[in-house]
Amino acid sequence: MILVTGGAGFIGSNFVLDWLAENGEPVLNLDALTYAGNLETLETVMDDPRHVFVQGNICDRNLLDGVLEKYRPRAIVHFAAESHVDRSIHGPGEFIHTNIEGTFTLLEAARAYWNMLEGTERESFRFLHVSTDEVYGSLQMDDAPFTEENPYQPNSPYAASKAASDHLARAWFHTYGLPVVTSNCSNNYGPFQFPEKLIPLTIVNAFAGKPLPVYGDGLNVRDWLYVGDHCRALRIVLSQGRPGQTYNVGGENEKTNIDIVRTVCTLLDELWPDDAAGRRDRLITFVTDRPGHDRRYAINAKKIRQELGWRPAETFESGLRKTVQWYLAHPRWVADVQSGAYRDWLAVQYGMANDMM
Ligand code: NAD
Ligand code: DAU
């Protein structure tokens, strides 16, 4: 089997569901179930004997040693992290703890386990470290997209913590020979994304007739990738990626934030018109900018395309339409994640009054 950390979060759960559908090999899913972890997302596989869920923290070395010894995975796919930039600005401590100390603890547990393996089990073992393009910092509008050779220039506490974890993963390969492969991906969107991130927040607020907060001038650029394409890239990197290498993964699909928000509004107006209230773009509200807000991210995905033959299957238009349709079709999932803790977050981040939430 393989061990997946953070498999109850957005990308991790999509990966687990895709993996079981496409590959079928059993998965040991280790997740601490923070605010971002949600077992409802995994309800279709909770009784599947190929899916073993363990609630646990990657900072807990004893627990990690125990599950590695008991389940003897042939690979680790490491998603578990604190992932939201705005939360890292309000409270960086958890990001240092999980993303840096947690990754360190997991690398150490993996190293001890791998050192016990022999023969082909040892040779074929892989540690796939899932990271982000934010480690490269911010691009000017006329800069070339990030390649794997770009220097690390993380700007937010989140990005700095992920950069540190990438450096640890790299060092564990160079110093100890642990067969680590790292992927650095651009912004994902798709089903099961927690509505604190731009696209799901815009969908659920626009549907409910609430304000659509756009930071600053709305002209920051992100490179958007449908989560299913990311999951397929990770399966390929896990099976064919070379230890010690990093692979950039991205949609080569740059959009400004204001374009994203307007496109979501147009899609909702088409799929779920609200003739009485009018067009959803009336809800767009420019708010104070994110401190240190990176202006532009863009990925050059040539290496993974040429070396491993991956390219995205989804266009932004088809992926976003699927995503909006998914949120419209899953009101219970949306209502359940908008719990008290979610409302507290909206109050902290946007200062929204209760009747706006
Ligand atoms: P997420 O916040 O939706 O999910 C994170 C998961 O990790 C949750 O299920 C949470 O319960 C779990 N977790 C958190 N701390 C833990 C701990 N200490 N021990 C065990 N589990 C813990 O995140 P996501 O958006 O799915 O991102 C997954 C990974 O992909 C992260 O490493 C992130 O940096 C990276 N990434 C995300 C994106 C994106 O656009 N979302 C893009 C590139 C890379
Ligand atoms: O680039 C990969 C990264 O993408 C991942 O590593 C992170 O885990 C993931 O959260 C994402 O980071 P971003 O900060 O780019 O994503 P977010 O959805 O928070 O914001 C996208 C853009 O939209 C960003 O420029 C900030 C802006 N924004 C965001 C929110 C939540 C708004 O304008 N309004 C908002 O309310």
Side-chain angles (χ1 to χ4, degrees):
M1 60 160 47
I2 62 167
L3 166 59
V4 169
T5 71
F10 163 50
I11 305 175
S13 62
N14 274 282
F15 180 85
V16 167
L17 296 171
D18 279 7
W19 178 269
L20 291 173
E22 300 290 330
N23 178 302
E25 185 180 1
V27 174
L28 172 61
N29 185 351
L30 177 84
D31 195 297
L33 296 181
T34 68
Y35 79 92
N38 185 354
L39 288 184
E40 222 175 301
T41 303
L42 296 163
E43 68 182 2
T44 57
V45 296
M46 286 310 276
D47 292 327
D48 187 326
R50 300 170 305 164
H51 176 244
V52 179
F53 182 79
V54 174
Q55 182 171 1
N57 199 304
I58 56 165
C59 301
D60 182 343
R61 178 65 194 269
N62 286 338
L63 175 99
L64 294 176
D65 288 344
V67 296
L68 288 170
E69 191 186 324
K70 179 170 176 192
Y71 293 99
R72 298 183 67 84
R74 67 166 182 87
I76 297 174
V77 186
H78 176 35
F79 294 97
E82 289 292 334
S83 69
H84 190 33
V85 173
D86 294 320
R87 286 185 192 257
S88 82
I89 295 167
H90 286 285
E94 271 310 304
F95 289 72
I96 304 305
H97 188 53
T98 284
N99 300 359
I100 305 179
E101 291 173 34
T103 300
F104 160 70
T105 308
L106 185 64
L107 284 165
E108 276 295 78
R111 181 165 75 93
Y113 168 68
W114 176 70
N115 276 332
M116 304 282 291
L117 299 177
E118 288 175 348
T120 52
E121 263 196 315
R122 183 180 162 90
E123 272 160 37
S124 61
F125 182 80
R126 292 288 180 275
F127 185 112
L128 172 51
H129 175 63
V130 180
S131 192
T132 171
D133 60 358
E134 302 206 10
V135 298
Y136 299 122
S138 184
L139 294 168
Q140 304 290 328
M141 287 306 161
D142 53 359
D143 284 344
F146 302 127
T147 71
E148 291 78 0
E149 307 306 321
N150 272 61
Y152 272 36
Q153 294 183 330
N155 290 320
S156 71
Y158 162 69
S161 69
K162 290 296 290 187
S165 71
D166 290 11
H167 291 323
L168 293 175
R170 175 190 163 91
W172 263 239
F173 168 76
H174 280 276
T175 303
Y176 305 114
L178 185 71
V180 175
V181 189
T182 297
S183 63
N184 293 89
C185 188
S186 64
N187 286 61
N188 282 217
Y189 67 98
F192 302 116
Q193 188 168 27
F194 193 76
E196 63 185 357
K197 309 279 166 66
L198 180 67
I199 288 183
L201 179 80
T202 302
I203 297 171
V204 303
N205 277 16
F207 181 70
K210 292 172 184 170
L212 309 179
V214 175
Y215 298 163
D217 61 8
L219 296 179
N220 300 67
V221 172
R222 298 292 182 265
D223 176 356
W224 294 94
L225 181 71
Y226 189 68
V227 66
D229 279 324
H230 186 195
C231 292
R232 189 165 43 81
L234 293 173
R235 292 200 301 274
I236 295 172
V237 170
L238 183 62
S239 66
Q240 296 165 43
R242 288 179 289 141
Q245 293 290 309
T246 65
Y247 296 90
N248 281 358
V249 186
E252 292 180 350
N253 184 31
E254 295 181 50
K255 305 276 181 203
T256 62
N257 295 337
I258 190 67
D259 273 353
I260 296 286
V261 174
R262 287 192 194 286
T263 309
V264 169
C265 289
T266 307
L267 269 169
L268 268 175
D269 289 344
E270 177 204 321
L271 295 168
W272 198 280
D274 184 351
D275 295 331
R279 288 164 40 154
R280 261 62 173 228
D281 59 8
R282 74 184 188 284
L283 301 167
I284 292 173
T285 308
F286 287 90
V287 299
T288 308
D289 209 353
R290 173 186 278 175
H293 196 176
D294 284 340
R295 194 61 170 169
R296 173 176 167 239
Y297 304 141
I299 283 274
N300 177 337
K302 192 171 165 191
K303 181 174 175 184
I304 187 170
R305 197 168 57 234
Q306 292 193 340
E307 198 177 298
L308 305 182
W310 173 88
R311 62 177 62 242
E314 212 69 61
T315 65
F316 186 68
E317 288 65 32
S318 64
L320 192 62
R321 180 173 286 271
K322 272 190 193 173
T323 304
V324 172
Q325 285 170 328
W326 185 88
Y327 279 88
L328 288 178
H330 293 83
R332 183 172 63 93
W333 187 93
V334 172
D336 289 351
V337 296
Q338 291 178 309
S339 65
Y342 179 70
R343 293 162 70 87
D344 293 346
W345 166 247
L346 294 185
V348 169
Q349 173 63 11
Y350 303 101
M352 284 187 180
N354 263 340
D355 58 349
M356 303 294 285
M357 299 192 226

